[in-house]
């Protein structure tokens, strides 16, 4: 078998504007579809854990179990460890890992969870096969990903239309699939998973505080994150276009009638016993 290889580039990077979003994520707002299936004794693998806020929540929900958070970027794991330490969690550990080639034996975990990961990997089907391999018979593979083409907002904004088109082009040029949410069930079937419950969930940003936060982080990402660098380096946009998109985000954020919804696809897959 050829050596598994990550063929996609993580579009967002770890600029402060990106971590501003990632550290907002909790098990409640980002993994609600999984929570009813958790039991106190479970051993969980959280793939692409980033700064560890969801990971820490999962650890609190399995007090008699163990949670391992993994990410490809060693530096972000230091922030995850700090998150766990600040919350006094002893049943949590972290490691560097590539989802295409997980360094764990077959049938190790009760739950393997990935949030906003498959949209960024080079081979999502291979990733799901690895997740299936390391979960125990009867265990759960749980995956949630956004679907950019399904994002919607009000009022109409040509600048946000430009943002969406630009982001999807940059993400695909990096080897990812920004409309991953709608593909999760198909990828799971191709990976050999059969007992699949597919659902969807949303984030909605409509209050003044929510609009200011969401618009501000995207305006900043558009100008200063790795995504901005890749948009420029790949010839997808020039600096004037990026400034225009950032201004459109900030203008939308001031609108009293502003509303934005992010659709996510979700799958719970139970491995054959």
């Amino acid at each position: 078998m050829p050596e598994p290889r990550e063929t996609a580039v993580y579009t967002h990077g770890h600029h402060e504007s990106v971590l501003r979003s990632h550290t907002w994520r909790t098990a409640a707002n980002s993994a609600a579809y999984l929570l009813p299936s958790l039991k106190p004794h479970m051993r969980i693998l959280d793939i692409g854990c980033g700064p560890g806020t969801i990971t820490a929540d999962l650890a609190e929900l399995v007090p008699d179990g163990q949670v391992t958070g993994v990410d490809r970027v060693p530096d972000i794991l230091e922030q995850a460890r700090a998150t766990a330490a600040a919350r006094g969690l002893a049943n949590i550990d972290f490691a560097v890992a590539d989802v295409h080639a997980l360094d764990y034996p077959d049938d190790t975990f009760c739950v393997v969870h990935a949030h906003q990961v498959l949209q960024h990997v080079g081979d999502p089907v291979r990733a799901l096969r690895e997740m299936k391999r390391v979960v125990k018979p009867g265990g759960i593979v749980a995956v949630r990903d956004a679907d950019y083409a399904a994002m919607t907002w009000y009022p109409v904004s040509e600048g946000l239309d430009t943002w969406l088109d630009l982001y999807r082009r940059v993400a695909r040029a990096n080897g990812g699939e920004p409309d991953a949410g709608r593909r999760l069930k198909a990828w799971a079937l191709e990976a050999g998973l059969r007992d699949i419950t597919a659902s969807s969930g949303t984030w909605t940003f409509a209050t003044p505080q929510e609009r200011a936060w969401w618009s501000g982080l995207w305006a900043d990402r558009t100008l200063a994150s790795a995504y901005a660098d890749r948009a420029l380096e790949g010839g997808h946009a020039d600096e004037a276009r990026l400034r225009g998109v950032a201004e459109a985000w900030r203008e939308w954020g001031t609108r009293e009638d502003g509303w934005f919804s992010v659709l996510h696809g979700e799958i719970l897959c139970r491995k054959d016993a």
Side-chain angles (χ1 to χ4, degrees):
M1 179 182 292
E3 185 70 18
R5 185 169 61 89
E6 173 69 89
T7 57
V9 175
Y10 182 46
T11 296
H12 297 291
H14 291 93
H15 183 263
E16 181 277 330
S17 59
V18 178
L19 296 181
R20 201 183 313 162
S21 171
H22 291 184
T23 55
W24 165 83
R25 297 173 183 173
T26 65
N29 68 28
S30 299
Y33 72 108
L34 168 63
L35 303 189
S37 300
L38 299 184
K39 293 179 171 49
H41 67 276
M42 284 181 160
R43 185 176 183 189
I44 299 174
L45 178 65
D46 187 26
I47 295 173
C49 66
T53 51
I54 296 175
T55 323
D57 284 351
L58 294 175
E60 289 184 343
L61 292 167
V62 293
D64 302 323
Q66 181 74 21
V67 178
T68 298
V70 298
D71 204 284
R72 292 183 63 242
V73 180
D75 289 349
I76 197 62
L77 293 177
E78 291 308 308
Q79 185 168 339
R81 291 185 180 100
T83 298
R87 292 169 65 166
L89 295 168
N91 64 331
I92 191 168
D93 61 276
F94 297 94
V96 176
D98 177 358
V99 68
H100 296 90
L102 295 169
D103 191 22
Y104 298 101
D106 296 359
D107 306 337
T108 298
F109 298 95
C110 305
V111 175
V112 179
H113 168 261
H115 184 266
Q116 313 294 8
V117 172
L118 293 191
Q119 64 185 280
H120 298 296
V121 305
D123 191 339
V125 174
R126 187 166 196 160
L128 281 162
R129 288 187 182 126
E130 272 293 273
M131 295 168 74
K132 176 187 175 187
R133 180 184 66 78
V134 301
V135 79
K136 296 178 180 179
I140 294 170
V141 173
V143 179
R144 187 178 198 247
D145 267 275
D147 194 299
Y148 275 76
M151 293 185 188
T152 190
W153 58 83
Y154 186 88
V156 171
S157 167
E158 289 186 11
L160 293 192
D161 289 341
T162 299
W163 160 75
L164 182 58
D165 174 69
L166 176 62
Y167 179 84
R168 293 172 76 219
R169 285 191 286 112
V170 172
R172 290 201 170 111
N174 287 339
E177 176 45 71
D179 305 339
R182 69 189 64 191
R183 292 171 165 81
L184 295 182
K185 183 177 180 181
W187 287 340
L189 287 168
E190 191 174 346
L193 291 155
R194 288 294 176 266
D195 186 354
I196 303 169
T197 300
S199 59
S200 62
T202 60
W203 292 334
T204 301
F205 306 99
T207 69
Q209 296 79 13
E210 290 165 350
R211 292 195 311 272
W213 180 78
W214 186 243
S215 64
L217 69 85
W218 269 109
D220 290 346
R221 282 192 204 188
T222 300
L223 295 177
S225 71
Y227 156 64
D229 295 338
R230 286 159 189 154
L232 293 169
E233 292 164 2
H236 304 288
D238 57 20
E239 291 186 0
R241 172 160 286 197
L242 293 182
R243 286 195 299 270
V245 169
E247 180 56 35
W249 269 114
R250 295 196 185 281
E251 193 280 330
W252 173 84
T254 67
R255 291 290 301 254
E256 184 179 4
D257 58 353
W259 177 90
F260 198 106
S261 184
V262 179
L263 179 72
H264 302 85
E266 304 162 341
I267 52 170
L268 281 177
C269 312
R270 195 168 293 275
K271 182 174 176 179
D272 293 341

